Amino acid sequence: KNQVEQSPQSLIILEGKNCTLQCNYTVSPFSNLRWYKQDTGRGPVSLTIMTFSENTKSNGRYTATLDADTKQSSLHITASQLSDSASYICVVTLENYGQNFVFGPGTRLSVLP
Amino acid sequence: DVKVTQSSRYLVKRTGEKVFLECVQDMDHENMFWYRQDPGLGLRLIYFSYDVKMKEKGDIPEGYSVSREKKERFSLILESASTNQTSMYLCASSLVSLRREQFFGPGTRLTVL
């Protein structure tokens, strides 16, 4: 069964600290993996996308990594800001003509001053 | 900038009422999706459409129907709302490509009393 798991479920850190969120997937056939940020009460917004051959992608203070062999991805946030408080969702796209996106449950990050 | 708009941010309905949720996108995307999002469960696909008048069931279509009469507009219909349909409903659109990014609307928080 195609599945995406994320850990931790929730995380609290102090402003200025770094953190890493994890995503493990059992999805086939794999096309790409995205990380989305979802602010409270809003729709998700894409942060990064990685295909099978890409193992790292940065977007400002966000850096995503992908290990296609172990089927793991991580999202590292550097020098966290209060505005980073949000849910972060890992989404894997299947490589077929259907619209198959497999969503993880998300990690809820709270950044405290 | 891609824009996906949803007709209501908050909606309160009574059990048994017919409910219409409307979604409009302005980027000429072929694909449109309806999801519901519940705490701890992530996003679950209700229906998607890859063309006008075309629709396919997602993972949880029971109790819902959809309509796509125009390319930019995708409606979700709850024929007889029930309390277990209280949820956040998210609409998304995307192009047809393997790197396709889904663009999400702001969501509709539906409460069924």
Side-chain angles (χ1 to χ4, degrees):
Chain A
K1 181 185 176 184
N2 289 319
Q3 207 164 345
V4 175
E5 297 176 341
Q6 292 186 244
S7 62
Q9 188 174 354
S10 62
L11 183 62
I12 301 174
I13 62 173
L14 294 176
E15 187 178 12
K17 298 295 186 184
N18 303 336
C19 67
T20 300
L21 314 180
Q22 300 289 345
C23 172
N24 297 334
Y25 61 92
T26 52
V27 172
S28 179
F30 176 91
S31 175
N32 62 65
L33 184 147
R34 284 187 189 275
W35 283 92
Y36 282 86
K37 179 187 179 189
Q38 184 177 21
D39 292 316
T40 301
R42 296 192 173 263
V45 175
S46 179
L47 290 174
T48 64
I49 177 176
M50 288 175 293
T51 60
F52 187 86
S53 59
E54 296 170 306
N55 55 21
T56 189
K57 189 69 71 79
S58 291
N59 178 359
R61 293 179 297 102
Y62 301 100
T63 299
T65 64
L66 174 65
D67 185 333
D69 292 331
T70 62
K71 298 190 176 181
Q72 294 180 326
S73 176
S74 65
L75 181 68
H76 186 73
I77 305 174
T78 304
S80 61
Q81 301 176 357
L82 298 178
S83 59
D84 293 330
S85 294
S87 288
Y88 292 85
I89 303 171
C90 176
V91 184
V92 179
T93 305
L94 276 71
E95 187 171 306
N96 55 28
Y97 288 106
Q99 296 306 306
N100 283 333
F101 300 89
V102 186
F103 288 80
T107 291
R108 178 72 206 172
L109 174 65
S110 299
V111 180
L112 302 181
Chain B
D1 246 14
V2 177
K3 192 160 249 184
V4 180
T5 57
Q6 294 183 228
S7 48
S8 305
R9 293 298 306 275
Y10 300 94
L11 210 50
V12 180
K13 296 291 181 181
R14 296 207 174 273
T15 302
E17 279 192 85
K18 191 168 185 175
V19 182
F20 292 89
L21 302 181
E22 199 151 71
C23 174
V24 178
Q25 51 95 2
D26 66 358
M27 283 304 291
D28 204 34
H29 285 172
E30 295 90 352
N31 301 326
M32 296 188 76
F33 311 79
W34 275 107
Y35 295 91
R36 64 176 283 177
Q37 184 177 33
D38 300 289
L41 295 180
L43 276 77
R44 292 181 291 167
L45 181 64
I46 304 171
Y47 269 97
F48 74 90
S49 169
Y50 50 90
D51 202 351
V52 174
K53 297 191 186 296
M54 306 305 286
K55 61 185 179 186
E56 286 206 23
K57 293 179 181 180
D59 300 319
I60 51 165
E62 296 79 18
Y64 304 95
S65 62
V66 291
S67 172
R68 193 167 181 198
E69 297 296 319
K70 294 185 178 182
K71 191 175 184 180
E72 68 271 18
R73 196 176 296 266
F74 193 33
S75 300
L76 180 69
I77 303 148
L78 287 67
E79 293 289 341
S80 177
S82 62
T83 54
N84 63 13
Q85 291 178 311
T86 292
S87 185
M88 169 72 93
Y89 290 87
L90 287 162
C91 175
S93 71
S94 77
L95 291 168
V96 177
S97 75
L98 285 178
R99 288 179 72 88
R100 54 193 179 272
E101 174 181 353
Q102 289 184 302
F103 293 88
F104 287 86
T108 295
R109 171 71 65 184
L110 172 66
T111 301
V112 182
L113 302 174

